[in-house]
Amino acid sequence: MILAEAALTPEGALGRYWLRLEQGRILDAGHGHPPQTPDLHLTEGVLAPGFVDVHAHGGGGAAFTDGAAAARQVLAAHRHRGTTTMLGSLVSAPLPELLEQAEQLRALVETGDLAGIHLEGPWLSPDHRGAHESSMLSDPTPEAVSAVLDHPAGQLLRYVTLAPELPGALEAAARLRAAGLTVGVGHTGASCAQTREAIAAGASAATHLFNAMKGLHHRDPGAALALLEEPTSFLELISDGVHLDAEMIRFVWDSARRNGGPQRPVLVSDAMPGAAAPDGRYRLGAVDVEVLGGVARRVTSDGSLGAIAGSTLTLSAAVRESILRAGIEPAQALMAATANPAAMIGLENVGRLLPGGRADLVLLDPEWQVRRVMYRGRWLDQRSSGASQTDGPAD
Ligand SMILES: [Zn+2]
């Protein structure tokens, strides 16, 4: 039995909380005084559920696009930094290629090591493609949506990002939602009205809100306003101090609290292979990316550095950035890395410390650095993670 003087409770507060674990699961849990003497009494720091990252392309030098062995490397790199549940995000490519990439990860999804696949593309706007290759983009025609949903790899998907202004996008959103997938609006030049239509059709999330979409322009309020105003939309935020100003992070949280509640913000890493790895040259789908000082940028045809291409973030760093720089209340920042993303993609056994859930835990120190990680009931050896060589102890 574990007793923590400060844990993130299922209600989203920090308080005294105990857990009884058995065979990788939470058998029993409760507030206040434990029913028996704990084996481990955590008097310092904060105990939280393992982090849930619904948008990440890679890490530890590897990418989800490169098959099962590479995916295991990505999962291990993030896991040692506190992320115990991940979707594998795949960047735009021809559909047969994407489905093949997803198929390569089938075993990891079936064992539950990977929570599923996120298709970020190819149904994105060429004008807001960010690091996606324009020749890889296409429209979500009824035939294309059928090709995805009818393919065996379609069952591995949990989340699809699309641009609502593309031909067929609204019908696609409705069909994907009906098939049980989460639909995110992103990489889009959609107007506010077009985005509201996509939400009505079934979209329920913003893929990295504000990045690769129109900002809040006074004469042309784009997707961001519609997504902020819809009280049930989840709002992905890349809180790395590069993609979004700390004031915007605070603004999004304030608007969510007033409209819908603090369960809406979702911290994502959007991590590329250079996350939890040294600076250098990496590949993201069909694109070369250079990481310099922790910032990932697309390498253009003349060799110069272009658009930001994913991040080198891990969720633990996103939590820290949100608390320390944007001033988000710690319990709410932690919810945005645990319960909120789990709810966004419909996972019930992670993200909250409830009986029946997975025994995935993160212990954070008073500076919000990861000190210990439990995965499926076993504490990981932090020294073997390699974390200290790249970005400090366990991140
Ligand atoms: Zn993106």
Side-chain angles (χ1 to χ4, degrees):
M1 169 169 291
I2 299 175
L3 170 65
E5 290 303 323
L8 183 69
T9 68
E11 300 76 32
L14 293 182
R16 194 171 208 239
Y17 199 71
W18 57 265
L19 298 161
R20 196 167 13 214
L21 310 178
E22 195 180 79
Q23 294 185 332
R25 301 244 153 216
I26 300 171
L27 186 65
D28 204 2
H31 301 82
H33 200 67
Q36 66 187 69
T37 312
D39 310 305
L40 178 63
H41 186 182
L42 302 168
T43 54
E44 217 190 55
V46 169
L47 187 70
F51 299 142
V52 179
D53 196 350
V54 297
H55 187 164
H57 302 276
F64 284 120
T65 41
D66 296 336
R72 280 181 217 283
Q73 208 175 316
V74 180
L75 292 168
H78 284 274
R79 188 182 298 147
H80 278 94
R81 289 161 178 81
T83 303
T84 50
T85 301
M86 295 184 87
L87 286 187
S89 298
L90 303 178
V91 291
S92 299
L95 282 179
E97 205 174 298
L98 273 178
L99 291 165
E100 177 53 30
Q101 287 171 3
E103 197 57 48
Q104 298 280 319
L105 304 176
R106 172 176 292 278
L108 285 171
V109 176
E110 285 175 352
T111 56
D113 289 302
L114 190 62
I117 307 289
H118 166 213
L119 291 188
E120 191 184 24
W123 302 324
L124 311 178
S125 159
D127 299 330
H128 300 267
R129 63 194 166 89
H132 295 251
E133 193 63 57
S134 49
S135 62
M136 300 292 175
L137 303 179
S138 57
D139 292 335
T141 60
E143 299 73 38
V145 175
S146 296
V148 168
L149 292 178
D150 297 344
H151 192 281
Q155 298 153 0
L156 307 173
L157 307 181
R158 269 205 173 260
Y159 174 29
V160 175
T161 297
L162 53 73
E165 71 273 29
L166 295 179
L170 299 182
E171 193 194 324
R175 286 180 65 197
L176 294 165
R177 175 63 170 258
L181 305 185
T182 298
V183 177
V185 170
H187 287 272
T188 174
S191 67
C192 189
Q194 283 170 323
T195 306
R196 289 206 173 109
E197 283 184 295
I199 292 168
S204 62
T207 295
H208 45 57
L209 182 69
F210 290 119
N211 294 118
M213 63 176 72
K214 287 181 191 169
L216 286 174
H217 191 276
H218 57 289
R219 268 191 293 273
D220 182 14
L225 183 65
L227 291 160
L228 277 165
E229 280 198 335
E230 168 52 48
T232 61
S233 277
F234 291 96
L235 306 167
E236 279 188 12
L237 300 169
I238 309 176
S239 179
D240 63 349
V242 175
H243 283 75
L244 291 171
D245 191 274
E247 293 285 357
M248 283 308 259
I249 304 268
R250 186 191 50 70
F251 163 75
V252 170
W253 237 285
D254 284 347
S255 6
R257 265 196 296 263
R258 279 195 302 271
N259 182 24
Q263 70 276 12
R264 297 181 60 205
V266 169
L267 294 174
V268 294
S269 70
D270 195 13
M272 45 81 70
D279 278 5
R281 189 67 66 96
Y282 295 94
R283 200 143 176 90
L284 186 64
V287 174
D288 278 326
V289 175
E290 177 88 19
V291 178
L292 208 61
V295 179
R297 291 189 179 277
R298 189 190 157 108
V299 180
T300 57
S301 48
D302 66 5
S304 64
L305 298 185
I308 302 179
S311 83
T312 58
L313 197 58
T314 57
L315 278 196
S316 58
V319 165
R320 217 158 44 234
E321 174 76 18
S322 304
I323 296 172
L324 300 179
R325 294 223 320 155
I328 306 305
E329 214 180 286
Q332 292 197 2
L334 290 169
M335 288 290 280
T338 55
N340 302 1
M344 174 178 147
I345 58 165
L347 295 179
E348 285 176 355
N349 59 351
V350 296
R352 285 180 199 262
L353 302 178
L354 286 171
R358 280 188 182 154
D360 293 344
L361 303 172
V362 184
L363 179 65
L364 298 142
D365 72 11
E367 279 76 50
W368 307 103
Q369 296 277 355
V370 172
R371 281 297 155 232
R372 296 182 81 179
V373 180
M374 177 183 280
Y375 183 65
R376 312 286 166 86
R378 291 178 57 185
W379 292 108
L380 303 184
D381 181 357
Q382 293 304 105
R383 282 161 305 179
S384 70
S385 69
S388 55
Q389 285 118 53
T390 55
D391 50 2
D395 201 32

